[in-house]
Amino acid sequence: MVMMLLSMFADNRSTTHKIMFLCGWIALIIFVGFRDMSVGSDTDNYLQSFHHPEAGYGENGQTDPGFHLYLYLTHYLFFDNGTLFLLISAIIGLGGIGYCIWHNSNQPMMSLIAFVSFSTSSMFFFHTLSAVRQSIAEGIFLMALCNYLGSTCEERKLLTLQADGKTITEKEEEEIMESRNRGLAILLYIIAISFHGSALVMLPIIFIAPILKNVSQWIWYLLLVGSYLISAFSPISASDLVFLFFSIFSRNSDSYINRFSSYSNFEQGEVTDMGFLNPALWPFTLLAIIIVWRCDKVRLQSQWTILFLLSVILNNLFSDNLIWGRLFIYISLLCVVVVPNAIEQSKSWIFRGGFTLFAIYFIVRAIKILFAQWLVPEGNIVAPYQFTDFTI
């Protein structure tokens, strides 16, 4: 927060701004990488898997192949040093998110504060302190997405030329989209899936995004408001539909799909049964509506914006089950790019002031959660925080 305030006196994307962002990001990596085993709900379990890679991670040792190989490599390369395992995991996971911000956000410090404080079903930053396996997959997925879609700046140039009706030569399009590397994107995506199979769910969503390029503002309003009303009044249960899917396709107990069958009945009160004003859903829904309202046509056609809007809709529809918020976190994280860029594009002080209110809301909520954990600690959680003694 201090660095964000200081960055207000520096031009966006200036050297000073970039240095402040890098300092803040390195601080987060240190905070995550050098945590004690008591910090994070699953940190101790991951360390046990690291010390005994042959046992794997998860129920019956069923571990995604990429992560299993990662356990073996880090175990032998780092001489069974748990601190180095957590540090390298933090560098990969947070490094991927930082890479996405560095190449796509026009307001890096604003992206940083969004990552630290914003949340849907779970806080993005707190999530990295617990879900080691998925956090690595998220970082690698975002790097894959950056190479698949190209940077937001290059995409905007192309969309602007198309909107103006200008003829684009193959050479011009190649120069504009030079930030794309589809081959590398596919490789990174496969690696992400090998660490956490849930990343596979993102594939149809990525393919759907271009189809929604010409969807009007009113359709987006209808989808956002409609999905929220469904979450509030629960006329249908998405989790019941998912449970039906698992009951049909995971009859074999050894099947890969069956590993995720427990997700279909995983419930926690933070998201479920919260009524009309669900604190895990309404802030993002309102934020998405404001972005649709204030975005120009070009930005609304951006696949980055479309994927973020889809994440809000999907989080609403699957709000009766906490685990789905974690499933869609891959694209929910795009808020750290889409929201700052929308604010930078809009010259309205009302819009910028509105973001400030959202930031304050999320920061206060994060502090409230931290104090609640500090005063009433239950299990391995984020607070009280402890640095490692370098022997874990």
Side-chain angles (χ1 to χ4, degrees):
M1 290 174 65
V2 170
M3 280 188 281
M4 183 182 179
L5 292 172
L6 291 174
S7 70
M8 291 180 179
F9 298 97
D11 294 333
N12 296 331
R13 304 297 302 185
S14 67
T15 302
T16 303
H17 201 103
K18 290 178 180 179
I19 291 174
M20 288 181 178
F21 169 76
L22 288 174
C23 290
W25 207 259
I26 291 171
L28 295 187
I29 290 175
I30 292 172
F31 191 81
V32 175
F34 289 103
R35 70 186 185 276
D36 183 73
M37 68 175 69
S38 64
V39 179
S41 58
D42 283 333
T43 301
D44 187 41
N45 292 331
Y46 278 109
L47 285 170
Q48 291 299 323
S49 298
F50 166 73
H51 292 307
H52 306 282
E54 69 283 352
Y57 178 84
E59 188 177 353
N60 299 323
Q62 292 181 326
T63 310
D64 292 282
F67 185 71
H68 208 164
L69 176 61
Y70 176 73
L71 287 175
Y72 275 107
L73 289 175
T74 52
H75 175 82
Y76 291 109
L77 287 175
F78 304 141
F79 305 101
D80 202 28
N81 188 311
T83 300
L84 287 177
F85 166 73
L86 293 179
L87 178 59
I88 296 300
S89 300
I91 290 173
I92 298 173
L94 290 175
I97 299 170
Y99 175 90
C100 181
I101 292 173
W102 184 264
H103 288 278
N104 296 284
S105 176
N106 296 327
Q107 303 264 357
M109 288 305 298
M110 194 176 291
S111 295
L112 182 62
I113 201 71
F115 174 72
V116 170
S117 59
F118 278 30
S119 62
T120 50
S121 61
S122 59
M123 291 190 63
F124 298 145
F125 179 53
F126 286 5
H127 178 68
T128 64
L129 290 161
S130 297
V132 173
R133 190 164 55 104
Q134 189 175 4
S135 294
I136 293 175
E138 289 161 10
I140 297 173
F141 170 81
L142 287 179
M143 287 192 289
L145 197 63
C146 289
N147 283 281
Y148 181 77
L149 298 180
S151 71
T152 53
C153 179
E154 301 300 327
E155 183 194 40
R156 184 169 177 80
K157 288 179 185 177
L158 181 60
L159 289 172
T160 301
L161 288 172
Q162 292 174 341
D164 293 340
K166 295 181 179 179
T167 303
I168 306 169
T169 66
E170 290 185 6
K171 184 178 179 181
E172 286 175 330
E173 185 169 353
E174 185 178 342
E175 290 176 351
I176 289 172
M177 300 309 297
E178 63 182 3
S179 57
R180 282 184 178 176
N181 188 336
R182 293 291 171 81
L184 179 60
I186 293 172
L187 176 61
L188 289 170
Y189 184 54
I190 293 173
I191 294 173
I193 294 170
S194 74
F195 271 78
H196 205 283
S198 61
L200 187 60
V201 179
M202 297 300 105
L203 189 60
I205 299 174
I206 293 171
F207 286 151
I208 288 171
I211 302 173
L212 302 177
K213 181 178 176 181
N214 295 316
V215 168
S216 68
Q217 285 182 312
W218 291 107
I219 296 297
W220 282 120
Y221 291 144
L222 180 64
L223 291 172
L224 290 166
V225 174
S227 64
Y228 188 82
L229 292 177
I230 289 174
S231 74
F233 299 107
S234 302
I236 59 174
S237 172
S239 287
D240 287 345
L241 296 177
V242 175
F243 182 80
L244 178 63
F245 169 84
F246 281 116
S247 65
I248 295 173
F249 293 101
S250 63
R251 293 174 181 175
N252 181 359
S253 60
D254 295 327
S255 69
Y256 183 79
I257 294 177
N258 193 55
R259 297 185 193 183
F260 304 98
S261 61
S262 60
Y263 288 4
S264 61
N265 56 12
F266 187 95
E267 296 183 1
Q268 288 189 18
E270 183 184 357
V271 175
T272 59
D273 301 323
M274 295 298 292
F276 187 74
L277 289 178
N278 189 326
L281 300 177
W282 74 258
F284 262 61
T285 304
L286 184 57
L287 195 57
I289 290 172
I290 294 173
I291 286 176
V292 173
W293 170 49
R294 293 299 305 177
C295 272
D296 57 31
K297 184 177 180 180
V298 170
R299 196 173 294 278
L300 196 57
Q301 290 181 335
S302 166
Q303 290 187 64
W304 293 89
T305 304
I306 292 170
L307 286 171
F308 167 67
L309 295 177
L310 285 175
S311 78
V312 177
I313 293 168
L314 290 168
N315 270 299
N316 288 345
L317 291 176
F318 287 89
S319 63
D320 60 340
N321 192 316
L322 174 67
I323 203 67
W324 304 122
R326 286 184 55 185
L327 179 64
F328 300 124
I329 198 171
Y330 294 95
I331 49 177
S332 297
L333 277 167
L334 295 184
C335 77
V336 302
V337 169
V338 174
V339 174
N341 284 358
I343 292 167
E344 189 269 342
Q345 175 257 328
S346 175
K347 304 302 180 183
S348 169
W349 282 102
I350 296 176
F351 185 71
R352 296 189 176 203
F355 172 80
T356 303
L357 293 177
F358 275 107
I360 292 173
Y361 168 81
F362 279 116
I363 290 169
V364 169
R365 187 172 174 221
I367 293 173
K368 181 180 177 181
I369 292 172
L370 280 172
F371 270 105
Q373 291 185 356
W374 190 287
L375 296 174
V376 189
E378 295 180 2
N380 296 348
I381 47 183
V382 175
Y385 178 87
Q386 287 183 320
F387 274 107
T388 174
D389 58 4
F390 298 99
T391 60
I392 57 177

